[in-house]
Amino acid sequence: MNLTIDDHDIDADVTELQPELVEQARVVLACMRGAELLPQGVANVDVMHGPSLSNSEPVAPRHLLPAPGSHQAPYLLLQQHLERHGVFAITLFTDVSFLAIPEVLLRCQEMYFELCPRERLRFYADENMRKHRPVGPKTFGMLESSLRNPQDKDGIVALELKDGEHALDAPKHLFKVYGRDRDRRGDPDQLANSLCMTFAPEDGLARVRDMAALVRRIAEIFPYRSGCAGFGYQVSRYSSEVGESFAWQKSMRHPQMDIVRSLQDRHAVANNAGKTVNWLTLVCDELLRELGSPKNVEQTLEAPIEWTHLGAGVLFQLGASPGFIDRTRGETAPDYHRLHRLLRPLIERAREQSPWFATGSSDDQAERTDDWFRRFDRA
């Protein structure tokens, strides 16, 4: 079989990666074509979100288009990037066993379904599945079943529901829970239990009030240690190395973009850290007390930042809507820098505990991981 692959087969953003990863993307594409896994009409593969139609380039939603005669072309390009590669992500971490709070988890799932109908979620996976499968009649009762009648000796509660045209696609809409009471040795598990929800990025703009209200409703009942909500990159488990390299480079350019790596994030946060800052950032009272008195907190922030006590801790809000800057254009995010400076001791713990980003070269993985957690140290 002869396959002809040229540079146009690789998404333009991917060509910014290291050469060996571009080559890896070409190999993946060739394998997919050789196995006839790509549907007719698909010409390129976006390593973050799967196949995209050759004659249907992503465009910004209508409400993001600039007014006639305006000079918003650079900003529109950023919005197109966000539309193509990003998600609006909500992630909360806790040290409480999910088996101890079944009603809370089920209520959080119902809150998600209020904004993302079940019909949109086409694939699922649990702890024992290597690949996603199409949803079936019993899928949406799996979480309740695992909470009410736990079968796993380690107290694992794990379910992922997602959208996508194909099972391998990185999703826009995702509901995922992962909790574990005991590690593989039978000892109490020290990693964070996580609740993650993602939506299409335009929801972070057009439905900003709904997104903020959802985070607040969840925070009122979920016993979080830390968490955040805002724009981010979702890395597919099926192309993690290429995806993480892409996301790392883009997040360093657009620092308000989180990188959602559910398994690695559990290690980073554990029960004593905060992963990053975003539009909405949650910190429990116990961790916040480590940073000093309320007066010390105000002095560290230097300028007012909106915050409110909510549930187990405090919710910080940076602006009326999620931020999205481009450092290559000289843009800055001073509020994010100030909040990062306040929470830096907690974020440094996450940096030390986090598995390295799989950026394609073992020589610089540790350095790049450090750079990402410290990206708001830069002006």
Side-chain angles (χ1 to χ4, degrees), residues 14 17-25 28 47-48 235-249 259 261 264 356-362 364-365 368:
V14 179
L17 300 176
Q18 300 172 18
E20 63 267 25
L21 293 182
V22 175
E23 184 59 32
Q24 180 179 343
V28 170
V47 296
M48 290 291 290
V235 178
S236 169
R237 68 159 81 173
Y238 302 113
S239 56
S240 59
E241 184 171 331
V242 176
E244 286 187 28
S245 293
F246 173 92
W248 182 90
Q249 291 201 14
I259 301 177
R261 305 187 302 160
Q264 295 88 337
W356 295 342
F357 279 95
T359 52
S361 171
S362 59
D364 65 4
Q365 286 182 350
R368 290 193 171 197

Side-chain angles (χ1 to χ4, degrees), residues 165-186:
E165 291 297 319
H166 308 280
L168 300 183
D169 291 354
K172 292 291 188 181
H173 295 87
L174 169 85
F175 177 86
K176 182 173 183 176
V177 296
Y178 191 97
R180 185 175 189 137
D181 291 353
R182 288 171 292 280
D183 61 24
R184 298 184 185 279
R185 297 185 300 272

Side-chain angles (χ1 to χ4, degrees), residues 33-215:
R33 282 184 169 166
E36 298 182 348
L37 295 178
L38 296 182
Q40 186 175 6
V42 172
N44 55 50
V45 171
D46 176 341
V47 296
M48 290 291 290
H49 294 122
S52 60
L53 295 180
S54 59
N55 60 353
S56 180
E57 285 299 307
V59 296
R62 185 176 300 276
H63 67 275
L64 295 179
L65 294 175
S70 68
H71 300 282
Q72 298 182 21
Y75 183 72
L76 178 57
L77 290 176
L78 292 180
Q79 297 294 358
Q80 289 175 328
H81 168 83
L82 184 63
E83 166 71 6
R84 183 169 189 175
H85 300 297
V87 295
F88 182 87
I90 302 169
T91 308
L92 281 76
F93 302 97
T94 184
D95 60 353
V96 176
S97 168
F98 283 167
L99 295 178
I101 53 171
E103 297 298 337
V104 170
L105 279 188
L106 293 174
R107 181 66 189 122
C108 290
Q109 185 183 48
E110 287 303 314
M111 290 181 193
Y112 182 76
F113 290 153
E114 290 173 10
L115 296 178
C116 176
R118 291 171 173 81
E119 296 75 22
R120 185 171 288 166
L121 304 171
R122 302 183 58 194
F123 302 97
Y124 80 99
D126 63 21
E127 173 69 7
N128 300 314
M129 294 167 55
R130 297 183 63 184
K131 293 183 178 180
H132 288 79
R133 299 173 185 168
V135 300
K138 298 182 179 180
T139 300
F140 295 104
M142 290 178 63
L143 180 59
E144 181 173 11
S145 177
S146 63
L147 290 168
R148 306 289 191 199
N149 304 292
Q151 302 294 320
D152 187 272
K153 63 181 179 62
D154 294 326
I156 295 176
V157 176
L159 179 65
E160 181 174 324
L161 305 169
K162 70 169 193 171
D163 66 0
E165 291 297 319
H166 308 280
L168 300 183
D169 291 354
K172 292 291 188 181
H173 295 87
L174 169 85
F175 177 86
K176 182 173 183 176
V177 296
Y178 191 97
R180 185 175 189 137
D181 291 353
R182 288 171 292 280
D183 61 24
R184 298 184 185 279
R185 297 185 300 272
D187 299 325
D189 193 78
Q190 300 300 313
L191 305 184
N193 295 331
S194 63
L195 167 66
C196 180
M197 306 176 179
T198 69
F199 299 85
E202 55 266 29
D203 288 339
L205 298 169
R207 306 175 70 183
V208 63
R209 292 184 179 179
D210 290 340
M211 295 296 108
L214 176 61
V215 173

Side-chain angles (χ1 to χ4, degrees), residues 93-94 190-193 225 265-273 353:
F93 302 97
T94 184
Q190 300 300 313
L191 305 184
N193 295 331
R225 297 286 288 175
D265 291 345
R266 294 184 63 239
H267 286 262
V269 173
N271 59 10
N272 64 348
Q353 296 165 175

